[in-house]
Amino acid sequence: MIQLNCSCYVRYRYHIMSLEGKTAVVTGFGGGLGSAIAVSLAQAGCAIVGTDISRTETVQANIVKIQEISKHEPLFFECDLMDREAIQQMCQGIQKKIPEGVDILVNNAGMYELFTIEEKPVDSWDKEIAINLTAPFLMSKCLIPSMKKKGWGRIVNMSSTLGLTVAEKIVGYITTKTGLIGLTRSIALEGGPHGVTCNAICPYVVQTPYIIPFVEDLQKKTGKTKEAILVRKGRNAAKRRHQGILPYEKIHNTKPDW
C-alpha cells in the first residue's frame, strides 16, 4: 500500500515483465523521462531504438547503459521532429534496419514555451503543435501497419495532467497534450481489433531539466520554493484525480498489459 498526500490509498503489485523479442522506439531518447523509459524497456528485454534531435552526452550515456544491461545493440537516429520529411526518412531507416517492424512505440518527445496567449508567437505555437502532436501522429502512422500485420503492437503517448486541466502561460502545451489524448483514443479504436493498443500516460510534475522553466516561473509568481511548488502540485493533482476531476482511467479504451 502507498499512502498519498491526499490521504487516499493506491494498491499496486510489482512484477518483472518480459519483453524479450520485442523492439521499442522511444522518442525524446535524450530527455529525463525518455532515458528512464528506454533503460526500463531494455531491462525488460526490449531491443531499443532511440531518437532525438542530436547525439548529446545524455544520449551517448543511455546507449552505453543499454549496452551494459541488454544483449541487443541499441540503435539511434538523429531526427528533428519539427521536420515532417525527416520523420518520414527516419521511419524508412527504422524499417530498413528492422524489416519485420517494431512492436512498441513510445511517443515521449515534447516541448513547451512560456507565453501568455496574447504574447505567444505563432512560430512558438507551430513548434509545439509539430513536436507534441504532429510528430506522434506521423510516427504512429508510419509504424502501426507492421504492428497490425503481426497482430500485436503497443503505442504509448506521453501526455500530461495539463492535457486534463489548465495552467497559465502554457497554452500551446495544454492544447497539444489535450489533442494527444484524442489521438490516443482514435488510434486505440482503430488498432484494437488488430491487437494494437494505444494508451496515454498523464504524469504531473516530474523533476527533470525539462520542467525547470515552468517551475521557475511559478517561483517568481508565488514566491514559493521549488520544493514547495513540486509537493503542492503533486498533492493537488493526486487529490483531483481521487475526486474524479482527472479521469485517467477514461483517457483510453484499452488496458495496457506491459
Side-chain angles (χ1 to χ4, degrees):
M1 301 282 285
I2 303 175
Q3 184 172 3
L4 302 179
N5 289 327
C6 62
S7 299
C8 65
Y9 293 86
V10 175
R11 186 182 300 275
Y12 75 99
R13 182 171 57 191
Y14 175 78
H15 67 280
I16 298 175
M17 57 187 174
S18 175
L19 293 172
E20 191 63 47
K22 306 297 185 185
T23 300
V25 174
V26 180
T27 70
F29 180 71
L33 279 175
S35 299
I37 291 166
V39 170
S40 295
L41 287 171
Q43 289 173 329
C46 267
I48 301 298
V49 181
T51 175
D52 216 308
I53 193 169
S54 61
R55 188 181 283 263
T56 62
E57 290 183 5
T58 303
V59 166
Q60 189 57 42
N62 289 342
I63 291 172
V64 171
K65 176 65 174 177
I66 291 169
Q67 288 172 331
E68 292 173 351
I69 64 176
S70 174
K71 64 182 181 182
H72 306 288
E73 182 66 21
L75 299 176
F76 177 74
F77 291 85
E78 289 189 12
C79 183
D80 180 356
L81 295 182
M82 289 185 61
D83 186 335
R84 297 181 183 183
E85 185 175 341
I87 294 174
Q88 182 65 34
Q89 290 175 352
M90 179 183 65
C91 287
Q92 290 173 354
I94 293 172
Q95 290 164 347
K96 185 176 181 180
K97 290 283 187 180
I98 310 167
E100 67 276 17
V102 303
D103 304 284
I104 298 166
L105 168 63
V106 183
N107 285 309
N108 167 69
M111 61 84 61
Y112 68 91
E113 293 181 339
L114 294 173
F115 292 99
T116 61
I117 189 166
E118 67 269 23
E119 296 171 342
K120 189 169 184 66
V122 175
D123 287 348
S124 174
W125 172 268
D126 289 343
K127 188 187 301 183
E128 288 172 316
I129 294 289
I131 294 174
N132 297 352
L133 190 55
T134 302
F137 161 72
L138 292 175
M139 292 293 296
S140 302
K141 174 181 170 66
C142 289
L143 300 179
I144 198 172
S146 62
M147 296 180 185
K148 286 184 175 181
K149 186 176 180 180
K150 289 188 287 186
W152 196 97
R154 300 292 181 264
I155 298 175
V156 179
N157 294 322
M158 295 301 295
S159 184
S160 167
T161 53
L162 289 174
L164 301 165
T165 183
V166 294
E168 295 178 351
K169 298 178 68 175
I170 200 165
V171 59
Y173 188 80
I174 289 173
T175 300
T176 54
K177 292 303 183 178
T178 302
L180 191 57
I181 293 171
L183 176 65
T184 299
R185 291 189 178 117
S186 296
I187 295 173
L189 181 64
E190 294 185 15
H194 304 277
V196 181
T197 66
C198 185
N199 294 275
I201 297 175
C202 296
Y204 44 87
V205 178
V206 179
Q207 294 189 60
T208 67
Y210 177 73
I211 201 67
I212 288 174
F214 181 60
V215 174
E216 288 179 343
D217 184 70
L218 287 175
Q219 283 182 273
K220 293 177 183 178
K221 181 179 177 180
T222 64
K224 296 180 181 294
T225 65
K226 178 181 72 173
E227 291 73 19
I229 289 170
L230 291 171
V231 169
R232 179 176 179 273
K233 287 185 72 60
R235 180 182 299 158
N236 287 347
K239 182 177 180 180
R240 286 193 295 270
R241 182 174 74 171
H242 182 56
Q243 292 173 339
I245 299 172
L246 301 182
Y248 290 130
E249 72 282 358
K250 296 182 180 180
I251 66 173
H252 52 73
N253 67 348
T254 54
K255 295 181 179 179
D257 62 0
W258 65 273

